[in-house]
Amino acid sequence: MGSRFPLPAKALQAFRLVLCALLLACSMQMAAPAPARADSADINAAARSVVRVVIVLRDSSGYDVIGHGTGFAVTPKLIVTNAHVLAPLLEDDRLRLGVVPAQGRTGYFARIVRVSSDVDLALIELTEDASLPVATLYTGVVEDGADVFAVGYPANVDEALGLGLNGLVSPQAPVKSRGQVSGGRTSTQFDTLLHTAPIGTGNSGGPLLDACGRVVGVNSFGTISDNGSDSEFYFAVSMRELAPFLRKAGVSVHTTALPCQSLAAFDADESARALRESAAQQARLEAVAAERRLKAERASRRAELETIDNRETLMALSGLMLALMVLSAAVSMRFYARQEQEQGAASAIFALLCLVGALAAWFSRPSVDDIVERAAQAERAAMAEVPDVTPPDSLVDKGRFVCRFRPERSRVTVSATNEVRLDWSPDGCVNEQTQFGLMDGDWTRIQINGADQTISVNRYNPQGRVYTVDRYLVDLPTMDAARKARADFQAPACGAGDDAAREWGDAQQSIRALLPKMPNERLVFSCDPAPAGSAATATTTGESASPEG
C-alpha cells in the first residue's frame, strides 16, 4: 500500500399600535410552520468527518483489503469506530490499519489508541500528516421517534457497485440512510439507541446523526431476520457510553446540547421576528410622533393664548391711558381757566405722558402675524424636546464592544457560541488590524478556515450593533476553489479609505458566489459597549465567531 493510498392619534392611537404589534406577533407564532424533519446540508456537512476504516494484509504481491468498517473523526487526527472492526488486528501482526477519508486524493495509515470491547468502542489515530473535519457530539436528550441518519460504508453497496481494491481505498462519499429512534430500548451488553435507519456490514463504527448532523451514537449491530419477513432494527452505542470512553482516553471533543432547528424553521422564525420588530418599531415611531404632535399642539395653543392675552392687555392699557389723557387734559384746561398755571401745566404734562403711553402700548401689541409666529415657534420647540427614534443614516457608531450570543435569533448546529470582543472604527476596521469590506451595503469579512473546512461570512451592523456569522460547512472542492479565489486579491490595510473598502467588498463577492444559497449556521451576537479598561483587541471567541481572517 506504500506510505499512502494513492488516489442568520395620540395615547390611544399609540396603544392601538402596540396592541396590533402584539396581535401580529401572536399570529405569526401560531402560523409558523412546524420544523422540517431534517436538512440535507447538515447531514452532508457531518459526512465530511466520516471515514472508511480498512484492514489490509501485506504480502509479497502487495496489499489486500481483508475487512473494513466505518469511523468518524472527533479531532483532526483521532477517529472513533467499533472495537469489533479492529478485532482482526489484535490477532495478526501482519495486518495494517488504514483510514480512507470521504474526500481528497489519498488514504492514510493509522494506529490503535484505545479499545473497549465491553462497549464495542475503539479509538484510532492517524500516523501521517493529515487533518480531518471534526464531528460534533450531541449531549442532549434524544427523543423517541426523532429522525436519525446512519452514515457509513455498507459492504452490500460496495458489492453492488463492483468496487475492487482500488475502490475500497479511494476517497468516496459515504452512504446515508434515514430512520427514527424506536422505543428507546437498549441492549443488555451496553447502553444503546434502538433505531430504524438501515445499516449493513461495513457500517459498523459509523455515526448515527440527528437531523442537524450531530453524533448521537455509534452504529454497532442490527437484528437478523431468518425468513426476511420480520422488520429489521439497529443498535448504536449511545452517548452515555461514548462520552466516558473518550474522557478516559483523555480526548477533548466538541459537544453541544442546543436543540436542533431546521433551516425552514429558522427562516420562518426570522421572518416572524423581522415582522414583529418592524411592527414594534412602527408602533414606537407612531407613539413618539403622537406624543410630539400632542405636545406641539398644546405648546402652540398655549403660546397663541398667551400672545392673544398680551395683545388684549396692551390694547386695554392703551385705552386706559387714552382715557386718563382725556381726563387730564380736561383737568388741565380747568386749571388754566382758573388761572392756576402750575396745576394746569402739570395736568397737561400728565395728559401728554398718558398719550405717549397709550401710543406705546398700542403699537407694541402683538399683531396677528406675531400670534401665528409665536405659536409656530412654541410648536417647533416642543417637538425638539421629544427625541426622534428614527435610526441615523450614517455609520457613526464606534468604540469597544462585547458581543454576546443571541440563541433566539441564531441557527446553530455544531459551532461554539462564545462572546466576541471587537474594537470597531467607522471606516470598517476591526481591532485596529482587520479591514472589513462593504458588500451589498454591509460591512463584511469572509474567513476561510482550512482547519475545520468551513467558510464564514462575518458581518457587522454598527447602527444596530449586531455581529453576524454565517458559517458554511463545505466540501473539499469548494474549499479549494475559495482558496484559489482568495489568492487573487489582497485585503487592504486599515484606514485605506471608503473606495478601498468597497473594492475589498466587491473582491470578496467572488468567494461568496462559490457558496451555497443558505449557510449551515447563522450565529447572531448583540454588541454592547465594553467596560472601561477592557482590552481593545482581546477576543474570547470560538473559531466560528472570530472577526479575524
Side-chain angles (χ1 to χ4, degrees), residues 18 216 325 340 377 406:
V18 173
V216 297
M325 180 203 72
E340 296 176 357
Q377 289 177 352
R406 295 282 301 275

Side-chain angles (χ1 to χ4, degrees), residues 14-35:
F15 172 76
R16 288 172 176 168
L17 287 166
V18 173
L19 180 60
C20 288
L22 292 174
L23 290 174
L24 176 60
C26 293
S27 64
M28 289 303 301
Q29 288 178 341
M30 290 187 294

Side-chain angles (χ1 to χ4, degrees), residues 57-88:
L57 172 66
R58 182 176 184 176
D59 54 27
S60 58
S61 62
Y63 285 101
D64 187 23
V65 177
I66 66 167
H68 80 273
T70 304
F72 58 94
V74 291
T75 76
K77 297 183 78 71
L78 291 175
I79 298 157
V80 167
T81 187
N82 282 148
H84 75 258
V85 171
L86 307 183

Side-chain angles (χ1 to χ4, degrees), residues 118-157:
D118 57 334
V119 292
D120 198 23
L121 290 175
L123 188 66
I124 61 178
E125 181 180 28
L126 300 179
T127 57
E128 300 184 69
D129 186 16
S131 180
L132 299 172
V134 176
T136 294
L137 311 186
Y138 179 64
T139 57
V141 177
V142 181
E143 301 289 346
D144 184 27
D147 281 352
V148 287
F149 294 79
V151 183
Y153 294 94
N156 54 0
V157 174

Side-chain angles (χ1 to χ4, degrees), residues 182-256:
S182 180
R185 298 186 180 183
T186 183
S187 69
T188 57
Q189 295 95 337
F190 43 83
D191 197 273
T192 58
L193 288 174
L194 177 65
H195 65 89
T196 61
I199 61 175
T201 302
N203 273 106
S204 295
L208 183 69
L209 307 175
D210 70 1
C212 282
R214 290 88 62 93
V215 178
V216 297
V218 184
N219 284 311
S220 180
F221 61 95
T223 61
I224 299 176
S225 174
D226 294 332
N227 55 21
S229 62
D230 293 337
S231 298
E232 295 185 351
F233 293 89
Y234 311 93
F235 294 84
V237 183
S238 77
M239 199 59 61
R240 288 185 289 272
E241 302 287 5
L242 178 58
F245 169 79
L246 293 172
R247 281 198 301 269
K248 291 177 182 177
V251 180
S252 178
V253 298
H254 186 209
T255 64
T256 183

